[in-house]
Amino acid sequence: MATTTPPMNHVSKPVKRMRWATQRIPHLHAAGKRNGIMERFHKGAHTTQEKRVSGETDWAANSNQGGVRENDADSEAPKGDDDITTGQYRIFFNIPLPDDAKDEAGRPIAHFGRNKIRTAKYTPLTFIPKNLWYQFHNIANVYFLILIILSIFQQFGNNNPGLTSVPLTVIVTITAIKDGIEDWRRTILDNELNNSSVHRLVEWNNVNISEEDISSWRKFKKATSKLIMSFFRIFQRKKGSTSEGGKTYAERALDEPRQSAETRRTKRTSIATSRHSFPSIESPNGGEAIQMTPVPSPLHQDGSKSDEGMFETRPRSNTALSNDDSEQTLQGSNGAAKLQDQSNQLRAVPPTKFYGSLIDPLKQVSGKARFKKDYWKNVQVGDFVRIYNDDEVPADIAVLSTSDPDGACYIETKNLDGETNLKVRNALRCGQKAKHARDCEKTEFVIESEHPHANLYQYSGVVRWKQRDMRKPEDPGSDMSEPISINNMLLRGCSVRNTDWVLGVVIFTGQDTKIMINSGATPSKRSRISRELNWNASYNFIILLCMCIISAVVEGVTWGQGNHSLDFFEFGSIGGTPAMNGFITFWTAVILLQNLVPISLYISIEIIRLAQAFFIYSDTGMYYEKIDYPCTPKSWNISDDVGQIEYIFSDKTGTLTQNVMEFKKCTINGVPYGEAYTEAMAGMQRREGINVEEEGEKARQQIARDRAKMLEDLRKIHVNPYLHDDELTFVAPDFVNDLSGAAGEDQKKANEAFMLALALCHTVITETTPGDPPKIEFKAQSPDEAALVATARDCGFTALGRSHDGILLNVLGQDREYKVLNTLEFNSSRKRMSAIVRTPDNRILLLCKGADSVIYSRLKRGEQTQLRKETAEHLEMFAREGLRTLCIAQRELGEDEYQAWNLKHDIAANSIQDREDKLEAVSDAIERELNLLGGTAIEDRLQDGVPETIALLGDAGIKLWVLTGDKVETAINIGFSCNLLSNDMDLIVFKSKEDTIESAEMELDKHLAKFNMTGSDAELAAARKNHEPPGPGNAIVIDGDALTLVLDETVRQKFLLLCKQCKSVLCCRVSPSQKASVVSMVKTGFDVMTLSIGDGANDVAMIQEADIGVGIAGEEGRQAVMSSDYAIGQFRFLQRLVLVHGRWSYRRLGETIANFFYKNMVWTWALFWYQLYNNFDGSYFFDYTYILTYNLAFTSLPIIFMGILDQDVSDKVSLAVPQLYRRGIERREWTPIKFWLYMADGIYQSVICFFVAYLLFAPAVAVTESGLGVGDTERIGVFVATSTVFVVNSYILLNTYRWDWLMLLLVGISIMLVWFWTGVYTSFPKAAGVSFYEAAAEVYGLLTFWTAFLLTVPICLIPRFTAKAFQKIFMPRDVDIVREEVRQGKWAHLEQYEVQHPRDDDTRPIYPPSVAQTGTTHNPQSQNGSDGTDYTGHRQSIEPPRTSVDAPRMSIDRPRPSFDRMRQSMDKIRQSPSFEASDDFTSAARLTRMESSHSQNAITPTQSRMIHGSSSLR
């Protein structure tokens, strides 16, 4: 067998070669380039022809491959299986539309949307009306608009309606500017995306689209937009703006609004590609028209004898260079002879399968079609498009061909689902020969597609065409079809990677694409204070209504009675009748007392929250330098909710852990290998009272010695150029000895078979970096998979890459090629992945890896009994060490058995309806009668600072629940290592003896009885009021199956009350929907504030369900971040977000709102008291400018900056004393009592401010030095207004904790502003009017004013000052005590410490992390089978595995420090079996008793999902 050595700089797929036919090169160099490449390829044509021909029609079809003749499909598949939907979605290519697809005018009936997208709300023409429409959906704006309308009529007593409109105008204008800026950013992003370039086939007829008539209105809109854009560009040029590359992080973040995340462009950096640039060929008309073949083509031309002769004398292999139309029927005696020779050589291989081609070799075309660079917005359904490496996909596209010989291409879906790992997509078999523009012209086919939907991981369609034969030109051809699945689709927003080019056809455009259908799904959240604020505003409105009714009644009755002083001063009434006078007075009072419902409160809250979000974003203590990511608020209006969190729900993998997988241990043929000292092991030893620091140091020294020995022994066996010392994570020198045969031939073969399984059963992409030594890195769809392949590489079983139809391996120095026949992919219901390969010795092996419950249920019945027990025992030990486990098994298939199964697999793969379920059923049929090879154990280390953060949050009174897909034993030990569990806890393992609600209820009653509870409504009501943290003595563990039962409505309340008594709750083996259900249960059941934190797409449901959703912006993806309210880089930053910024925001906003209502009560009630003395006629007591500027200028700054900057204690003290957070949990900063107390204080102070001045003027009227009286309304109003402004600002300062220079300056400016305004305004007679002219000089020059002023201020403030002093002296709160200690210097030591930044990761792990750089965000469709293990059918104690009678395992007596250490710890802790084994805790224990039921009776995919439980996504 010939060996295959990869090139030094190699990417497994696609092969790194340039195709001359698809390279953009200048005309001048085209001929030379073509000749050189042709010579190089033709030189090896004869040696590779045999392999190429056989590879062209590979009979081992994958699920997305294979064309089917219509007659054959009908005979093998159920009738009607190819029907997509009742409403057809058909796309025609080079075929005239049938009559049923055209209207009476001959135009297409189907109307497909444009590819131009608009995420912005407004256009230049619609901005003003549309923005006003949105703003006046706010009832407060409508209320004040009504007031402005009323003020226009002078009958209601307002002489200056223009000034009345100023507050609302300012607020609406500011909001409009903010909305305009945000929408302008969206517009810029939209335009950038819509005007991105793509190469689209032009000068051919797309029959699916008719020329649309552009209306005059649309032309006008486009002209307006262009005009505005031109002005903007001129402004930008003058401003000298820089490109986006020069923007700061803050500017980039602002350019990426949460609402339009789908419009972000990807920063494209190629992982490995040899194409650096493609020079363009300029078309004569100035546009870039790029021919697929810029030089005369040597390919077959119809009627060209010279071409035929060339093909006869110089046969070529099936490469991307050829059109290959003629290869369907090779002509000439030479071709026939070659086919005969190949048939003789491959007679053992079944007949090849014919997939057909979309190209009609007999069709005559004009040859004018070409690919031209065009805008995304011009792409239409039915277009042919060509996409280059690193280009973004403009629409949902079905792939016809790629630069790879196998039709594979690689995409990055970060913009779509947040994942950065590469995914493989395959071209349709029938389209792989279409590579040029003329090929596209010669195709004739129809695509029948399902209608657009939101599922990113599913698509069903079929392509139909007539297969014609050149030998029979008169034959119309046979009907053929090929299914189109999601594996053949490139979705809009994805980016092509590691692939030179992709040719495809457009299926969905614009709003029909999956990314657009999925956009905007994030629910809108409102803070609790905002919801409660509506009630407070309603109370004030009721008070206002009562005051207006009183005014109307009194005014109407007074006019009706007569004989009052107003009869001598008023010359008739406006209304004419008492009833009409009362009606007019009612609306006059509404205008007069409008500040009781403050419009400025809402805008002030928005300003405060905006500033709070900015400070959160700017906090360097939450900046993750490793990925250049600060804490990023996605929702700006719920920061105060972060200060009221009582329950935190956290994922484990990637949230508490690093999601960087390191292969640590394995068990092969009953022998355990690997040395490791994990964090969970340290947690277990901590439970025993062992000094973990000392023990850990000993373990590290031993592991270092073992590492050195293993590296030395590995190089004795084979000098592996791809082994790098610092990358080795699997430390097992005894494994190397056994691989050399020290334990016998059987163990040696078992080790080899195990490592071969790891090296073959995967879907990783290899990248070879040249050097001395070279380096191979793996890009996988899951981190577990990359860790497995990397370990096989380190042990000498190196996956070099992929050949045309197989995997190239270097096995201990020998190059081998294994042909991959089928890959049965992982999904959440299968919990396993399999690969069927043909070995070099022509054997067919099925290799399977997955969760142990799944693998054990498929083992060969009645065999390997002892090996099963020993392996299960080792897997339990690995799980107790906090390792994620997998089982590995294999099976040898017979040729006939495989061919029969593969026929069923092809039929299922060509199904249109229920394709996934059919493939799953077929896969399940072959994955039986397996032989167990062993198991793996992978560590996912805790993130830095997780134990400290959990402990800190617990001290704050926050309850942390962990919702994970891990095995119970793994979760428990991780819980101990991160301070979630402790030795003093009574661990309640919830189990149900029967899978019924009744048995679950009995179990709940039993546990509730320990706490003297019954689960009654009265107990729930008491629990809702009790926010005290539970005692540290109890914790509960429950798995997904039991959780399904207790979430039922009949028993949910009891389960909730049981969890209330536990300090920690661990929910294991839970699905994403169960996570969301648990969050909803707690949030609604206890009426508490909840926070969910996660890092993957599987956490989105609970993130959106919680009041606050936090996404971990790890290195692997952004799906959780895109759906979250706050994004942080690491779990440890949660302590600053919650305990510092959350507490500050909640306290500040609660105090701000209370003071806002207070200050408006003082002002409004002072006006109301004046009405007592003028029969409630609605006349103004203050000058109207005072009413307008009171909230805008005189009292706005201090209260806004109180909400932005006020601090009771510093951030360091907040973290040092987390108990201060409990006031937020108990919601004591904003309560109804506090609201009414501040309201009452405001009414009291209004009485003092008004009646002190009134009583001053009641006996006599004061006069100035010139003898002018100051007893008129405006001048008395100056007395009251000045005192009121001073009192209100002083009151706000009194309620402020932090008296720094800025706060004192703002209060001083606000107080002085009333004097300044009065002095300036009254100095101009035209502005102030005759009656108010020089009022400032006259009033402020009176001794009586200053006497009244100095008397009013202390009387108003003394009650509040006295109450505060009494509370702080005799009833101090926690914060008062801490503040006093800060003043005494008891917390001064904190000032010497800077904000804790993470340690370097290189100094933290015991071993350096694996260098397999992978994307690790979990995807339900990825090949990630290591969701932990749930098989625990084992013995009751740990014993040394007994050796086999047939083959003694000599190596079992060798010392294994890690194994022995773990066994001793387990013997001490576990006097009884593990939770799962003793209690049938999960489905694994039940599957153990089934004795491999899958080996006898087939089960449906639905049954499989029922047996294995729900998804175990983390």
Side-chain angles (χ1 to χ4, degrees), residues 1159-1176:
K1159 74 184 185 69
N1160 280 4
M1161 290 296 291
V1162 176
W1163 186 259
T1164 305
W1165 279 91
L1167 290 171
F1168 184 77
W1169 300 134
Y1170 172 69
Q1171 303 302 310
L1172 294 173
Y1173 300 98
N1174 62 359
N1175 297 321
F1176 291 92

PDB file of all heavy atoms in Angstrom, residues 1159-1176:
ATOM      1  N   LYS A1159     -40.239  66.529  45.687  1.00  0.00           N
ATOM      2  CA  LYS A1159     -40.041  67.928  45.286  1.00  0.00           C
ATOM      3  C   LYS A1159     -41.222  68.461  44.476  1.00  0.00           C
ATOM      4  O   LYS A1159     -41.542  69.650  44.555  1.00  0.00           O
ATOM      5  CB  LYS A1159     -38.737  68.081  44.505  1.00  0.00           C
ATOM      6  CG  LYS A1159     -38.715  67.562  43.082  1.00  0.00           C
ATOM      7  CD  LYS A1159     -37.318  67.704  42.473  1.00  0.00           C
ATOM      8  CE  LYS A1159     -37.281  67.314  41.013  1.00  0.00           C
ATOM      9  NZ  LYS A1159     -38.006  68.248  40.150  1.00  0.00           N
ATOM     10  N   ASN A1160     -41.893  67.589  43.726  1.00  0.00           N
ATOM     11  CA  ASN A1160     -43.071  68.048  42.997  1.00  0.00           C
ATOM     12  C   ASN A1160     -44.273  68.226  43.916  1.00  0.00           C
ATOM     13  O   ASN A1160     -45.142  69.060  43.647  1.00  0.00           O
ATOM     14  CB  ASN A1160     -43.409  67.056  41.882  1.00  0.00           C
ATOM     15  CG  ASN A1160     -42.522  67.258  40.666  1.00  0.00           C
ATOM     16  OD1 ASN A1160     -41.620  68.085  40.701  1.00  0.00           O
ATOM     17  ND2 ASN A1160     -42.772  66.523  39.611  1.00  0.00           N
ATOM     18  N   MET A1161     -44.320  67.450  44.994  1.00  0.00           N
ATOM     19  CA  MET A1161     -45.400  67.654  45.966  1.00  0.00           C
ATOM     20  C   MET A1161     -45.258  69.015  46.633  1.00  0.00           C
ATOM     21  O   MET A1161     -46.251  69.739  46.831  1.00  0.00           O
ATOM     22  CB  MET A1161     -45.369  66.537  47.009  1.00  0.00           C
ATOM     23  CG  MET A1161     -45.774  65.169  46.489  1.00  0.00           C
ATOM     24  SD  MET A1161     -47.488  65.104  45.929  1.00  0.00           S
ATOM     25  CE  MET A1161     -48.346  65.269  47.479  1.00  0.00           C
ATOM     26  N   VAL A1162     -44.058  69.388  47.003  1.00  0.00           N
ATOM     27  CA  VAL A1162     -43.836  70.688  47.655  1.00  0.00           C
ATOM     28  C   VAL A1162     -44.328  71.815  46.755  1.00  0.00           C
ATOM     29  O   VAL A1162     -45.064  72.719  47.182  1.00  0.00           O
ATOM     30  CB  VAL A1162     -42.343  70.880  48.000  1.00  0.00           C
ATOM     31  CG1 VAL A1162     -42.107  72.259  48.589  1.00  0.00           C
ATOM     32  CG2 VAL A1162     -41.869  69.805  48.963  1.00  0.00           C
ATOM     33  N   TRP A1163     -43.940  71.755  45.489  1.00  0.00           N
ATOM     34  CA  TRP A1163     -44.257  72.837  44.559  1.00  0.00           C
ATOM     35  C   TRP A1163     -45.757  72.886  44.242  1.00  0.00           C
ATOM     36  O   TRP A1163     -46.382  73.940  44.276  1.00  0.00           O
ATOM     37  CB  TRP A1163     -43.440  72.634  43.283  1.00  0.00           C
ATOM     38  CG  TRP A1163     -43.559  73.736  42.285  1.00  0.00           C
ATOM     39  CD1 TRP A1163     -44.314  73.751  41.161  1.00  0.00           C
ATOM     40  CD2 TRP A1163     -42.894  74.995  42.329  1.00  0.00           C
ATOM     41  NE1 TRP A1163     -44.165  74.924  40.483  1.00  0.00           N
ATOM     42  CE2 TRP A1163     -43.278  75.710  41.183  1.00  0.00           C
ATOM     43  CE3 TRP A1163     -41.991  75.589  43.220  1.00  0.00           C
ATOM     44  CZ2 TRP A1163     -42.812  76.984  40.898  1.00  0.00           C
ATOM     45  CZ3 TRP A1163     -41.523  76.853  42.929  1.00  0.00           C
ATOM     46  CH2 TRP A1163     -41.928  77.540  41.797  1.00  0.00           C
ATOM     47  N   THR A1164     -46.331  71.728  43.940  1.00  0.00           N
ATOM     48  CA  THR A1164     -47.729  71.688  43.507  1.00  0.00           C
ATOM     49  C   THR A1164     -48.678  72.049  44.641  1.00  0.00           C
ATOM     50  O   THR A1164     -49.651  72.797  44.453  1.00  0.00           O
ATOM     51  CB  THR A1164     -48.060  70.302  42.941  1.00  0.00           C
ATOM     52  OG1 THR A1164     -47.127  69.971  41.901  1.00  0.00           O
ATOM     53  CG2 THR A1164     -49.468  70.279  42.367  1.00  0.00           C
ATOM     54  N   TRP A1165     -48.410  71.514  45.824  1.00  0.00           N
ATOM     55  CA  TRP A1165     -49.314  71.817  46.935  1.00  0.00           C
ATOM     56  C   TRP A1165     -49.204  73.273  47.383  1.00  0.00           C
ATOM     57  O   TRP A1165     -50.164  73.848  47.906  1.00  0.00           O
ATOM     58  CB  TRP A1165     -49.042  70.878  48.109  1.00  0.00           C
ATOM     59  CG  TRP A1165     -49.712  69.543  47.904  1.00  0.00           C
ATOM     60  CD1 TRP A1165     -49.196  68.448  47.306  1.00  0.00           C
ATOM     61  CD2 TRP A1165     -51.048  69.200  48.288  1.00  0.00           C
ATOM     62  NE1 TRP A1165     -50.109  67.431  47.280  1.00  0.00           N
ATOM     63  CE2 TRP A1165     -51.266  67.862  47.888  1.00  0.00           C
ATOM     64  CE3 TRP A1165     -52.083  69.893  48.929  1.00  0.00           C
ATOM     65  CZ2 TRP A1165     -52.462  67.192  48.116  1.00  0.00           C
ATOM     66  CZ3 TRP A1165     -53.276  69.215  49.151  1.00  0.00           C
ATOM     67  CH2 TRP A1165     -53.472  67.898  48.742  1.00  0.00           C
ATOM     68  N   ALA A1166     -48.063  73.896  47.190  1.00  0.00           N
ATOM     69  CA  ALA A1166     -47.969  75.331  47.473  1.00  0.00           C
ATOM     70  C   ALA A1166     -48.908  76.112  46.568  1.00  0.00           C
ATOM     71  O   ALA A1166     -49.561  77.084  47.003  1.00  0.00           O
ATOM     72  CB  ALA A1166     -46.528  75.805  47.291  1.00  0.00           C
ATOM     73  N   LEU A1167     -48.992  75.702  45.296  1.00  0.00           N
ATOM     74  CA  LEU A1167     -49.966  76.328  44.398  1.00  0.00           C
ATOM     75  C   LEU A1167     -51.399  76.065  44.850  1.00  0.00           C
ATOM     76  O   LEU A1167     -52.274  76.939  44.747  1.00  0.00           O
ATOM     77  CB  LEU A1167     -49.774  75.795  42.970  1.00  0.00           C
ATOM     78  CG  LEU A1167     -48.509  76.230  42.222  1.00  0.00           C
ATOM     79  CD1 LEU A1167     -48.358  75.450  40.923  1.00  0.00           C
ATOM     80  CD2 LEU A1167     -48.554  77.717  41.940  1.00  0.00           C
ATOM     81  N   PHE A1168     -51.632  74.843  45.329  1.00  0.00           N
ATOM     82  CA  PHE A1168     -52.987  74.484  45.743  1.00  0.00           C
ATOM     83  C   PHE A1168     -53.426  75.287  46.966  1.00  0.00           C
ATOM     84  O   PHE A1168     -54.586  75.712  47.073  1.00  0.00           O
ATOM     85  CB  PHE A1168     -53.043  72.987  46.031  1.00  0.00           C
ATOM     86  CG  PHE A1168     -54.419  72.493  46.376  1.00  0.00           C
ATOM     87  CD1 PHE A1168     -55.383  72.305  45.391  1.00  0.00           C
ATOM     88  CD2 PHE A1168     -54.768  72.231  47.696  1.00  0.00           C
ATOM     89  CE1 PHE A1168     -56.654  71.848  45.712  1.00  0.00           C
ATOM     90  CE2 PHE A1168     -56.035  71.785  48.014  1.00  0.00           C
ATOM     91  CZ  PHE A1168     -56.982  71.590  47.030  1.00  0.00           C
ATOM     92  N   TRP A1169     -52.466  75.489  47.911  1.00  0.00           N
ATOM     93  CA  TRP A1169     -52.849  76.259  49.112  1.00  0.00           C
ATOM     94  C   TRP A1169     -53.273  77.684  48.740  1.00  0.00           C
ATOM     95  O   TRP A1169     -54.154  78.269  49.373  1.00  0.00           O
ATOM     96  CB  TRP A1169     -51.689  76.306  50.110  1.00  0.00           C
ATOM     97  CG  TRP A1169     -51.215  74.965  50.608  1.00  0.00           C
ATOM     98  CD1 TRP A1169     -49.935  74.565  50.710  1.00  0.00           C
ATOM     99  CD2 TRP A1169     -52.027  73.892  51.086  1.00  0.00           C
ATOM    100  NE1 TRP A1169     -49.861  73.287  51.207  1.00  0.00           N
ATOM    101  CE2 TRP A1169     -51.148  72.845  51.450  1.00  0.00           C
ATOM    102  CE3 TRP A1169     -53.402  73.687  51.227  1.00  0.00           C
ATOM    103  CZ2 TRP A1169     -51.600  71.632  51.957  1.00  0.00           C
ATOM    104  CZ3 TRP A1169     -53.853  72.463  51.723  1.00  0.00           C
ATOM    105  CH2 TRP A1169     -52.967  71.463  52.080  1.00  0.00           C
ATOM    106  N   TYR A1170     -52.644  78.213  47.723  1.00  0.00           N
ATOM    107  CA  TYR A1170     -53.016  79.562  47.295  1.00  0.00           C
ATOM    108  C   TYR A1170     -54.458  79.612  46.804  1.00  0.00           C
ATOM    109  O   TYR A1170     -55.151  80.633  46.958  1.00  0.00           O
ATOM    110  CB  TYR A1170     -52.048  80.037  46.204  1.00  0.00           C
ATOM    111  CG  TYR A1170     -52.454  81.330  45.561  1.00  0.00           C
ATOM    112  CD1 TYR A1170     -52.410  82.534  46.266  1.00  0.00           C
ATOM    113  CD2 TYR A1170     -52.892  81.363  44.234  1.00  0.00           C
ATOM    114  CE1 TYR A1170     -52.786  83.728  45.675  1.00  0.00           C
ATOM    115  CE2 TYR A1170     -53.268  82.558  43.639  1.00  0.00           C
ATOM    116  CZ  TYR A1170     -53.217  83.732  44.368  1.00  0.00           C
ATOM    117  OH  TYR A1170     -53.588  84.913  43.776  1.00  0.00           O
ATOM    118  N   GLN A1171     -54.939  78.505  46.219  1.00  0.00           N
ATOM    119  CA  GLN A1171     -56.304  78.496  45.694  1.00  0.00           C
ATOM    120  C   GLN A1171     -57.355  78.621  46.805  1.00  0.00           C
ATOM    121  O   GLN A1171     -58.499  78.995  46.540  1.00  0.00           O
ATOM    122  CB  GLN A1171     -56.549  77.201  44.903  1.00  0.00           C
ATOM    123  CG  GLN A1171     -55.576  76.950  43.759  1.00  0.00           C
ATOM    124  CD  GLN A1171     -55.572  78.080  42.762  1.00  0.00           C
ATOM    125  OE1 GLN A1171     -56.626  78.518  42.284  1.00  0.00           O
ATOM    126  NE2 GLN A1171     -54.374  78.584  42.454  1.00  0.00           N
ATOM    127  N   LEU A1172     -56.952  78.336  48.041  1.00  0.00           N
ATOM    128  CA  LEU A1172     -57.895  78.488  49.150  1.00  0.00           C
ATOM    129  C   LEU A1172     -58.367  79.932  49.301  1.00  0.00           C
ATOM    130  O   LEU A1172     -59.465  80.195  49.809  1.00  0.00           O
ATOM    131  CB  LEU A1172     -57.246  78.025  50.455  1.00  0.00           C
ATOM    132  CG  LEU A1172     -56.909  76.527  50.578  1.00  0.00           C
ATOM    133  CD1 LEU A1172     -56.121  76.282  51.852  1.00  0.00           C
ATOM    134  CD2 LEU A1172     -58.175  75.682  50.558  1.00  0.00           C
ATOM    135  N   TYR A1173     -57.538  80.857  48.861  1.00  0.00           N
ATOM    136  CA  TYR A1173     -57.815  82.280  49.109  1.00  0.00           C
ATOM    137  C   TYR A1173     -58.277  83.017  47.845  1.00  0.00           C
ATOM    138  O   TYR A1173     -58.381  84.226  47.848  1.00  0.00           O
ATOM    139  CB  TYR A1173     -56.570  82.950  49.687  1.00  0.00           C
ATOM    140  CG  TYR A1173     -56.147  82.307  50.986  1.00  0.00           C
ATOM    141  CD1 TYR A1173     -55.135  81.349  51.010  1.00  0.00           C
ATOM    142  CD2 TYR A1173     -56.787  82.644  52.183  1.00  0.00           C
ATOM    143  CE1 TYR A1173     -54.758  80.742  52.195  1.00  0.00           C
ATOM    144  CE2 TYR A1173     -56.413  82.033  53.370  1.00  0.00           C
ATOM    145  CZ  TYR A1173     -55.400  81.087  53.379  1.00  0.00           C
ATOM    146  OH  TYR A1173     -55.043  80.484  54.560  1.00  0.00           O
ATOM    147  N   ASN A1174     -58.529  82.316  46.759  1.00  0.00           N
ATOM    148  CA  ASN A1174     -59.069  82.977  45.561  1.00  0.00           C
ATOM    149  C   ASN A1174     -60.192  82.148  44.939  1.00  0.00           C
ATOM    150  O   ASN A1174     -60.396  82.171  43.731  1.00  0.00           O
ATOM    151  CB  ASN A1174     -57.967  83.251  44.535  1.00  0.00           C
ATOM    152  CG  ASN A1174     -57.318  81.953  44.054  1.00  0.00           C
ATOM    153  OD1 ASN A1174     -57.675  80.867  44.496  1.00  0.00           O
ATOM    154  ND2 ASN A1174     -56.377  82.082  43.154  1.00  0.00           N
ATOM    155  N   ASN A1175     -60.911  81.431  45.828  1.00  0.00           N
ATOM    156  CA  ASN A1175     -62.068  80.653  45.401  1.00  0.00           C
ATOM    157  C   ASN A1175     -61.741  79.600  44.339  1.00  0.00           C
ATOM    158  O   ASN A1175     -62.584  79.231  43.526  1.00  0.00           O
ATOM    159  CB  ASN A1175     -63.180  81.568  44.869  1.00  0.00           C
ATOM    160  CG  ASN A1175     -63.699  82.501  45.942  1.00  0.00           C
ATOM    161  OD1 ASN A1175     -63.845  82.109  47.114  1.00  0.00           O
ATOM    162  ND2 ASN A1175     -63.960  83.758  45.567  1.00  0.00           N
ATOM    163  N   PHE A1176     -60.505  79.135  44.336  1.00  0.00           N
ATOM    164  CA  PHE A1176     -60.071  78.067  43.414  1.00  0.00           C
ATOM    165  C   PHE A1176     -60.336  78.437  41.952  1.00  0.00           C
ATOM    166  O   PHE A1176     -60.808  77.625  41.160  1.00  0.00           O
ATOM    167  CB  PHE A1176     -60.776  76.736  43.739  1.00  0.00           C
ATOM    168  CG  PHE A1176     -60.348  76.127  45.041  1.00  0.00           C
ATOM    169  CD1 PHE A1176     -61.025  76.394  46.213  1.00  0.00           C
ATOM    170  CD2 PHE A1176     -59.246  75.289  45.094  1.00  0.00           C
ATOM    171  CE1 PHE A1176     -60.623  75.837  47.411  1.00  0.00           C
ATOM    172  CE2 PHE A1176     -58.842  74.719  46.287  1.00  0.00           C
ATOM    173  CZ  PHE A1176     -59.525  74.990  47.469  1.00  0.00           C
TER     174      PHE A1176
END
